[in-house]
Amino acid sequence: MSAPLDASKLKITKTETPKDPLPNDKLVFGQSFTDHILEVDWTKEEGWAAPTIKPYHNFSMDPATCVLHYSFELFEGLKAYRDSNGKIRTFRPDKNMERMNRTAKRAALPTFDGNEFLKLLDQFLLLEEKFVPQGKGYSLYLRPTLIGSSIGLGVSTPTKAKLYLIASPVGPYFGSDFKPVSLEATDYAVRAWPKGVGSYKLGANYVSCIEPQAEAAKRGHSQNLWLFGESGEITEVGAMNVFFAFENDDGTKELVTPPLDGMILPGVTRDSTIQLCVEKLPSDWKVNERKLTIYEVMERSAKGQLIEAFGTGTAAIVAPIDNIEFKGKQIEVPCKAGSSGEIAKQVNDWIQKIQYGDEEFKDWSRVAA
Ligand SMILES: *Cc1c(COP(=O)(O)O)cnc(C)c1O
């Protein structure tokens, strides 16, 4: 029988050349890493080997390794935060484990006990504790990754795999203030489609989005708003889910985000935003997961009913949107200059308080121990 992932078998080899963490003002997302890497190898016959934490190192790979040819790669993104007592916390990491296993199954890669991985993550965080920066907006970005590592050019189920984790200290996405983003609603390329793999965090989903993003950047936009189909259905932004706030003529208000129909990534921040808004927004608000089109947004903007739009994701928490371009037309989204709308700001505050342990909400914050 093949062995399950077992955190109690962890072997730690500490680096002999420890680095000093960079000062907060030198942190660039994904450019500097901590001293160590967590790895667990898997084979079809043996199952999960004993996990290791070793000094950060390069991989050596046969050029015929399957990840290099058929994109057997998937990942997760979450962060560790330092609370006011110096304890290290992660935010809803069980959701990331659930999603990673869903993706692994779809990618014909081995699944694992997420809870065991979180025990390993806690050990990693305690070891790398000095790299979790102090201060609101600062955190240690965590990148769990799973790759197929069997060798050969046959297109088939990998018989070897490697699960690993690296970590990069990061500052606030937008500096001290919100910086609203401008989007290009894109329908000349498609990010995902019904019954495709858009709802999985597969590396292969990102490569096809870079060229359209570079095109949008030439026209002054920082991201694509991905549309689907003839009706111009709104799906999501590059690596963020998207929310629109409308005020109806009768004064009732609606916060809308597209439903989890298999075409969008089920964001942890999206789910948290929905739950918090349902619980905390005043009673004249309705929170709806429903389909909406770029044409509805255009129409309601023209009527003055569009009051706010924002993206959600682990990197930024919320990113206010101030403009959407579609077929050469600009949809202006109300947004205080250089700042954010009211809801985006509130959601950001609610989530940040839970992440930094200033407020307990359900069991969303896990203390590394
Ligand atoms: C990761 C990701 C998100 C956001 O998910 P979170 O769990 O909130 O970080 C949204 N869309 C895409 C395409 C993503 O890859």
Side-chain angles (χ1 to χ4, degrees):
M1 227 196 71
S2 72
L5 179 60
D6 182 352
S8 71
K9 292 186 181 151
L10 173 65
K11 290 200 181 66
I12 299 178
T13 312
K14 286 189 194 173
T15 179
E16 282 168 12
T17 52
K19 284 189 298 224
D20 283 330
L22 289 172
N24 278 0
D25 62 343
K26 290 271 164 10
L27 298 177
V28 182
F29 174 80
Q31 291 296 319
S32 71
F33 297 92
T34 63
D35 282 338
H36 299 89
I37 175 170
L38 166 68
E39 292 170 89
V40 200
D41 287 318
W42 175 90
T43 66
K44 190 168 179 249
E45 302 77 42
E46 310 277 327
W48 293 101
T52 62
I53 292 177
K54 289 181 183 166
Y56 193 96
H57 61 85
N58 289 346
F59 292 153
S60 164
M61 259 182 219
D62 188 297
T65 304
C66 67
V67 59
L68 301 176
H69 296 270
Y70 309 122
S71 297
F72 286 101
E73 193 272 355
L74 60 99
F75 62 95
E76 272 302 324
L78 70 163
K79 287 171 164 178
Y81 310 86
R82 183 181 291 279
D83 74 14
S84 55
N85 301 314
K87 290 224 162 63
I88 310 301
R89 293 169 176 264
T90 45
F91 180 72
R92 310 188 70 189
D94 52 313
K95 297 289 285 178
N96 298 92
M97 291 299 103
E98 220 177 273
R99 190 167 68 192
M100 194 169 189
N101 272 298
R102 249 186 79 240
T103 306
K105 181 169 179 294
R106 183 65 184 82
L109 284 166
T111 57
F112 55 90
D113 183 334
N115 207 26
E116 289 300 301
F117 189 84
L118 292 184
K119 289 183 199 166
L120 293 168
L121 175 59
D122 283 355
Q123 292 304 301
F124 181 89
L125 290 173
L126 295 175
L127 181 70
E128 301 288 49
E129 191 255 346
K130 70 176 182 190
F131 287 101
V132 186
Q134 184 113 42
K136 281 283 141 66
Y138 291 88
S139 59
L140 181 63
Y141 182 80
L142 305 169
R143 173 51 63 89
T145 310
L146 179 59
I147 59 172
S149 56
S150 42
I151 297 165
L153 298 183
V155 183
S156 57
T157 306
T159 53
K160 286 184 179 169
K162 183 189 279 293
L163 173 62
Y164 67 94
L165 174 108
I166 53 175
S168 171
V170 291
Y173 203 71
F174 295 114
S176 55
D177 239 332
F178 286 110
K179 203 159 117 239
V181 294
S182 164
L183 307 179
E184 179 176 273
T186 306
D187 67 354
Y188 62 84
V190 182
R191 193 196 89 92
W193 44 90
K195 300 181 187 180
V197 290
S199 68
Y200 302 96
K201 236 169 160 73
L202 285 171
N205 279 338
Y206 300 83
V207 61
S208 58
C209 296
I210 303 304
E211 195 266 345
Q213 187 179 327
E215 286 299 314
K218 283 187 199 159
R219 293 183 277 271
H221 304 289
S222 60
Q223 305 262 343
N224 307 81
L225 176 64
W226 293 104
L227 304 182
F228 177 78
E230 295 305 312
S231 62
E233 212 176 289
I234 288 174
T235 60
E236 65 176 310
V237 182
M240 285 190 290
N241 296 117
V242 67
F243 288 77
F244 290 85
F246 302 113
E247 181 162 7
N248 300 314
D249 289 335
D250 64 3
T252 58
K253 297 165 190 159
E254 186 189 20
L255 184 66
V256 184
T257 195
L260 298 181
D261 58 0
M263 275 197 286
I264 68 170
L265 204 286
V268 178
T269 322
R270 172 189 180 278
D271 182 74
S272 305
T273 299
I274 294 171
Q275 288 198 48
L276 284 163
C277 285
V278 165
E279 190 153 320
K280 294 185 188 243
L281 281 180
S283 59
D284 53 347
W285 278 96
K286 278 214 168 64
V287 182
N288 287 328
E289 295 175 66
R290 68 164 171 87
K291 287 198 187 299
L292 84 163
T293 66
I294 190 71
Y295 297 102
E296 175 182 349
V297 171
M298 251 157 74
E299 225 178 274
R300 301 192 72 174
S301 160
K303 285 192 206 155
Q305 294 181 344
L306 173 63
I307 55 177
E308 203 176 322
F310 58 91
T312 64
T314 295
I317 308 180
V318 301
I321 295 163
D322 65 355
N323 172 270
I324 302 170
E325 180 175 335
F326 180 56
K327 294 194 194 296
K329 288 207 184 86
Q330 307 299 324
I331 307 172
E332 301 286 339
V333 186
C335 190
K336 275 183 250 125
S339 181
S340 98
E342 278 308 306
I343 301 188
K345 201 158 160 231
Q346 277 187 335
V347 168
N348 191 74
D349 288 350
W350 291 334
I351 293 183
Q352 206 170 54
K353 283 204 176 93
I354 304 165
Q355 289 174 333
Y356 286 88
D358 298 332
E359 216 169 275
E360 292 293 336
F361 189 80
K362 305 190 180 178
D363 55 352
W364 285 7
S365 183
R366 174 183 174 110
V367 177

